[in-house]
Amino acid sequence: MASEFKKKMFWRAVVAEFLAMSLFIFISIGSALGFNFPVSNNETSTKSQDNVKVSLAFGLSIATMAQSVGHISGAHLNPAVTLGLLLSCQISILKAIMYIIAQCLGAVVATAILSGVTSSLPNNLLGLNSLSSGINAGQGLGIEIIATFQLVLCVLATTDRRRNDVSGSAPLAIGLSVALGHLLAIDYTGCGINPARSFGSALIANNFENHWIFWVGPIIGGASAALIYDFILAPRSSDLTDRMKVWTSGQVEEYDLEGDDMNSRVEMKPK
């Protein structure tokens, strides 16, 4: 792990995650905090909010950021995705930890800036995820698990280097998966599927009610997707030794993500 810690590409990737996460949060949550349609408890205080608009904003911002920094960091932009790729043995434990820290910091910084920009909005909770009326904790947890499961499954399948049938844009496919998750979950939980995104809003709004759902749900969904894809749908031939090598040093023949050649970083790019 120490050798990985000393590499410039490692720190470039961490900075890229922070910057891309900040832009993603500012754009996507900002789209839901319009002055014409202020949001409070997953509902607008005036006219009905356009869920399609918000879903597309989240999806397109993820696709844009993935296209922008995918060759540097892989553009995870989500602790659940990072966990899925860790369990799939595509990144090291050290990189996963640093990515998650960078993602959370980026979300907090972006939400704090949005707090200043939208300070005059009434009942402004800064995109806080919360359970809608009539939805209990178990139901909300189930929604978060399913929505995150399909996202991480899409990431793993779209970026699988063993495939030669992916001819379209991987970032766009993943962005559409994010939009799909929001189309499902906005009316139930406000759609977390990203613990860092939920943490930023909860911290700046100082409201952690039911916040555990937006960590536990995505973690279960992301881990389940990784294990099912890696061991059932598309098993890998690598043995335990190779997997341990990735977790400790981040270097393996199939997923050599630590080289100085930026073209070797393929997490968000089809083969």
Side-chain angles (χ1 to χ4, degrees):
M1 288 189 182
S3 61
E4 185 181 31
F5 198 77
K6 296 176 182 178
K7 293 184 177 180
K8 291 181 180 179
M9 281 303 300
F10 176 87
W11 291 107
R12 288 174 187 166
V14 172
V15 171
E17 282 292 303
F18 169 79
L19 179 60
M21 189 70 180
S22 299
L23 290 172
F24 160 60
I25 293 298
F26 187 87
I27 293 169
S28 54
I29 295 183
S31 72
L33 294 181
F35 281 81
N36 292 327
F37 306 101
V39 181
S40 177
N41 295 326
N42 300 338
E43 298 179 356
T44 56
S45 60
T46 54
K47 302 177 182 178
S48 297
Q49 185 185 45
D50 188 348
N51 285 354
V52 175
K53 168 202 166 186
V54 176
S55 299
L56 286 176
F58 273 87
L60 292 177
S61 58
I62 280 287
T64 301
M65 292 301 103
Q67 191 69 54
S68 301
V69 303
H71 61 295
I72 301 171
S73 69
H76 298 186
L77 308 182
N78 186 335
V81 171
T82 298
L83 175 63
L85 291 173
L86 174 65
L87 294 178
S88 186
C89 293
Q90 299 187 37
I91 60 173
S92 68
I93 295 175
L94 176 61
K95 176 175 281 188
I97 292 173
M98 294 304 299
Y99 271 22
I100 292 174
I101 293 174
Q103 292 157 4
C104 290
L105 287 176
V108 169
V109 169
T111 308
I113 296 173
L114 271 174
S115 176
V117 172
T118 61
S119 59
S120 61
L121 278 176
N123 301 319
N124 184 13
L125 293 179
L126 299 167
L128 179 72
N129 289 122
S130 60
L131 300 177
S132 297
S133 177
I135 301 297
N136 61 39
Q139 293 167 333
L141 182 66
I143 289 291
E144 288 295 308
I145 291 173
I146 294 172
T148 309
F149 180 91
Q150 63 85 29
L151 167 60
V152 177
L153 185 65
C154 177
V155 171
L156 293 171
T158 305
T159 61
D160 192 338
R161 289 189 63 180
R162 298 170 295 172
R163 296 182 61 179
N164 56 16
D165 62 325
V166 181
S167 57
S169 169
L172 180 59
I174 294 167
L176 290 175
S177 180
V178 171
L180 180 63
H182 280 76
L183 288 171
L184 163 68
I186 282 179
D187 289 330
Y188 299 95
T189 64
C191 191
I193 70 173
N194 188 328
R197 168 262 190 272
S198 301
F199 176 74
S201 297
L203 182 65
I204 301 302
N206 194 27
N207 186 336
F208 289 91
E209 183 179 3
N210 293 317
H211 183 65
W212 66 270
I213 293 174
F214 304 103
W215 280 91
V216 176
I219 286 173
I220 294 175
S224 300
L227 295 176
I228 289 174
Y229 185 82
D230 227 26
F231 291 98
I232 299 177
L233 299 180
R236 300 183 188 278
S237 59
S238 56
D239 57 23
L240 181 60
T241 302
D242 289 333
R243 290 176 175 271
M244 291 300 294
K245 185 185 298 184
V246 178
W247 285 337
T248 56
S249 66
Q251 295 178 349
V252 71
E253 183 178 358
E254 183 179 6
Y255 286 96
D256 182 9
L257 304 181
E258 302 306 317
D260 288 334
D261 182 3
M262 293 171 64
N263 292 326
S264 68
R265 313 186 71 83
V266 295
E267 291 149 294
M268 283 293 184
K269 296 173 67 177
K271 182 176 179 181

